[in-house]
């Protein structure tokens, strides 16, 4: 049974025991998962921004933020408050409707993608049977908002940035989908819960990163390109396009672009952890640890500890990947736009197709090892 349904039933029953009618309890429940998701994603972004500043400072032998709160922890909060209270300037000759809709269309699909991310075995908002497909479909909506933002700004740099964003997204969505399809083929499911369960039982040896070494490289490169991270930040290359599609934006509209960029980075890291690093699974099988310490697997205390540590494992894996993304930013130079498109169409796409066909062949030849 879907863990999201269990949580819903428990929450509604608790409110009914307090004397609320069933309809009122259901009405209170409906917005709660989305609110929790938005709050959790926003907190994750604040942590990500702080980590990026500290890691970037270390890479450049600087200290980084340290005066705004202990260790500079409140610096991302100060940035957010600054953007909230800054003046929202709209260019006089811009298309106001499209100019306003652009950042909204970019942000909403990224937040909706968190619906299918399992942070733990019993901690997912909804276990959609086509969860991975839903994420790929939602990720294809964001470039429309970027193109709208660039076109509506009535600025040549913004237009070029929007066109680059659309071309980059189309180029890397296909290799990304091919790498994910290979995982779905081995797991016999598009559900993120089923994909993690298929990797559990053998610890680190059962993770998909060993069975899909080519796929995980394709996924990570394509994810960096989808998030417009260096060395693939061509849509907003400061030296060439000022700020790309963000050039004419200020205030909270610019804040939405800023937020969606980091939310997408954290989302990609979480999905990478789910698809290739076993999600909440431990490097050492828990049943082996339980046997070593003589603890029954049905022990309720052990189950609570396992659930808590499972969430911690998912987050740690994700932020390790965020660390790698920041490290790449300061170690790899930005590529040219023609090199970016050549990498996507002439290298990652054919390699992704070969990897998918090879996965299908290995699944037929070795069904036990490859989820047949």
């Amino acid at each position: 049974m879907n863990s999201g349904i269990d949580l819903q039933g428990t929450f509604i029953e608790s409110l009914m025991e307090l004397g609320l009618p069933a309809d009122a309890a259901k009405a209170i429940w409906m917005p709660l998962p989305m609110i929790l998701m938005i709050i959790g994603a926003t907190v994750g972004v604040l942590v990500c921004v702080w980590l990026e500043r500290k890691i970037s400072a270390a890479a450049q032998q600087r200290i980084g933020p340290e005066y705004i709160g202990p260790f500079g922890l409140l610096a991302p909060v100060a940035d957010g408050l600054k953007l909230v209270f800054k003046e929202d300037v709209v260019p006089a000759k811009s298309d106001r409707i499209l100019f306003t809709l652009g950042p909204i269309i970019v942000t909403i699909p990224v937040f909706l993608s968190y619906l299918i991310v399992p942070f733990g075995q019993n901690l997912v908002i909804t276990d959609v049977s086509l969860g991975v497909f839903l994420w790929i479909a939602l990720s294809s909506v964001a470039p429309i908002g970027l193109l709208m933002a660039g076109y509506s700004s009535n600025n040549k740099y913004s237009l070029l940035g929007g066109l680059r964003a659309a071309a980059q997204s189309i180029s890397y969505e296909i290799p990304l989908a091919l790498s994910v399809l290979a995982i779905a083929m081995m797991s016999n499911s598009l559900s993120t819960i089923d994909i993690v369960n298929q990797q559990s039982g053998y610890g680190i040896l059962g993770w998909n990163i060993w069975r899909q070494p080519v796929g995980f490289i394709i996924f990570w490169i394509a994810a960096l390109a989808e998030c417009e991270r260096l060395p693939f930040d061509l849509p907003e290359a400061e030296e060439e396009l000022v700020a790309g599609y963000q050039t004419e934006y200020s205030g909270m509209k610019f804040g939405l672009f800023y937020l969606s960029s980091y939310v997408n980075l954290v989302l990609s890291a979480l999905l990478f952890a789910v698809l290739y690093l076993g999600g909440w699974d431990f490097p050492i099988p828990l049943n082996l640890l339980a046997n070593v310490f003589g603890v029954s697997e049905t022990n309720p205390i052990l189950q609570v500890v396992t659930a808590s540590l499972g969430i911690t494992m998912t987050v740690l894996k994700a932020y390790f990947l965020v660390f790698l993304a920041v490290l790449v930013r300061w170690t790899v130079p930005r590529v040219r736009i023609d090199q970016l498109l050549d990498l996507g169409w002439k290298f990652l796409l054919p390699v992704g197709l070969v990897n998918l066909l090879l996965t299908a062949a290995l699944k037929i030849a070795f069904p036990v090892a490859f989820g047949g």
Side-chain angles (χ1 to χ4, degrees), residues 119-178:
F119 290 89
Q121 185 142 18
N122 295 313
L123 191 61
V124 61
I125 295 178
T126 176
D127 182 14
V128 183
S129 59
L130 299 176
V132 175
F133 180 78
L134 175 64
W135 168 57
I136 294 174
L138 288 171
S139 66
S140 64
V141 176
I144 300 175
L146 299 178
L147 193 57
M148 288 171 58
Y151 169 77
S152 63
S153 296
N154 194 27
N155 180 299
K156 60 182 179 182
Y157 299 114
S158 298
L159 179 58
L160 284 173
L163 292 173
R164 282 187 177 186
Q168 180 168 320
S169 178
I170 293 170
S171 301
Y172 284 86
E173 272 181 5
I174 302 174
L176 185 70
L178 290 175

Side-chain angles (χ1 to χ4, degrees), residues 51 56 78 89 98 171 190 259 315 348:
L51 280 176
S56 300
V89 179
L98 295 182
S171 301
L190 287 168
L259 177 66
V315 174
L348 292 184

Side-chain angles (χ1 to χ4, degrees), residues 236-301:
E236 49 188 88
E238 295 85 355
E239 295 86 348
E240 304 170 24
L241 303 179
V242 186
Y245 54 83
Q246 304 176 15
T247 300
E248 298 293 346
Y249 281 90
S250 62
M252 201 54 214
K253 290 191 181 73
F254 176 81
L256 286 177
F257 281 127
Y258 190 80
L259 177 66
S260 64
S261 173
Y262 280 99
V263 169
N264 201 12
L265 175 61
V266 176
L267 173 69
S268 299
L270 285 168
L271 287 171
F272 189 99
V274 167
L275 296 175
Y276 293 97
L277 301 180
W280 63 80
D281 193 37
F282 289 78
I284 301 175
L286 286 180
N287 54 359
L288 179 61
L289 289 176
N291 292 333
V292 169
F293 291 100
V295 181
S296 173
E297 295 183 30
T298 59
N299 188 309
I301 298 177

Side-chain angles (χ1 to χ4, degrees), residues 45-324:
V45 166
L46 295 176
V47 175
C48 183
V49 172
W50 180 80
L51 280 176
E52 173 145 36
R53 287 184 165 183
K54 281 295 187 181
I55 297 168
S56 300
Q60 299 174 343
Q61 295 184 340
R62 298 185 287 107
I63 297 176
E66 60 175 345
Y67 295 113
I68 309 176
F71 305 105
L73 286 171
L74 296 180
V77 179
D79 286 342
L81 292 175
K82 178 192 70 174
L83 290 173
V84 169
F85 291 106
K86 281 188 71 174
E87 181 182 3
D88 182 15
V89 179
V90 179
K93 295 185 178 181
S94 66
D95 187 320
R96 288 178 173 270
I97 297 177
L98 295 182
F99 189 82
T100 304
L101 286 177
I104 298 174
I105 293 176
V106 170
T107 305
I108 290 178
V110 182
F111 276 103
L112 289 177
S113 299
Y114 276 81
L115 291 171
I116 57 128
V117 176
F119 290 89
Q121 185 142 18
N122 295 313
L123 191 61
V124 61
I125 295 178
T126 176
D127 182 14
V128 183
S129 59
L130 299 176
V132 175
F133 180 78
L134 175 64
W135 168 57
I136 294 174
L138 288 171
S139 66
S140 64
V141 176
I144 300 175
L146 299 178
L147 193 57
M148 288 171 58
Y151 169 77
S152 63
S153 296
N154 194 27
N155 180 299
K156 60 182 179 182
Y157 299 114
S158 298
L159 179 58
L160 284 173
L163 292 173
R164 282 187 177 186
Q168 180 168 320
S169 178
I170 293 170
S171 301
Y172 284 86
E173 272 181 5
I174 302 174
L176 185 70
L178 290 175
S179 63
V180 172
L181 282 176
I183 295 293
M185 184 183 296
M186 291 196 309
S187 305
N188 298 315
S189 175
L190 287 168
S191 166
T192 50
I193 295 289
D194 293 342
I195 290 173
V196 176
N197 287 332
Q198 185 264 343
Q199 300 175 71
S200 61
Y202 300 98
I204 193 173
L205 297 178
W207 295 353
N208 284 331
I209 192 171
W210 309 116
R211 290 179 289 183
Q212 282 291 312
V214 177
F216 99 84
I217 295 174
I218 294 174
F219 184 95
W220 186 236
I221 294 175
L224 289 177
E226 288 286 312
C227 296
E228 299 173 7
R229 298 283 306 181
L230 273 161
F232 307 116
D233 66 333
L234 276 299
E236 49 188 88
E238 295 85 355
E239 295 86 348
E240 304 170 24
L241 303 179
V242 186
Y245 54 83
Q246 304 176 15
T247 300
E248 298 293 346
Y249 281 90
S250 62
M252 201 54 214
K253 290 191 181 73
F254 176 81
L256 286 177
F257 281 127
Y258 190 80
L259 177 66
S260 64
S261 173
Y262 280 99
V263 169
N264 201 12
L265 175 61
V266 176
L267 173 69
S268 299
L270 285 168
L271 287 171
F272 189 99
V274 167
L275 296 175
Y276 293 97
L277 301 180
W280 63 80
D281 193 37
F282 289 78
I284 301 175
L286 286 180
N287 54 359
L288 179 61
L289 289 176
N291 292 333
V292 169
F293 291 100
V295 181
S296 173
E297 295 183 30
T298 59
N299 188 309
I301 298 177
L302 178 63
Q303 291 179 350
V304 172
V305 172
T306 300
S308 303
L309 293 179
I311 299 169
T312 305
M313 286 298 301
T314 305
V315 174
L316 284 177
K317 291 173 184 177
Y319 276 101
F320 172 71
L321 295 165
V322 171
F323 166 77
L324 292 181

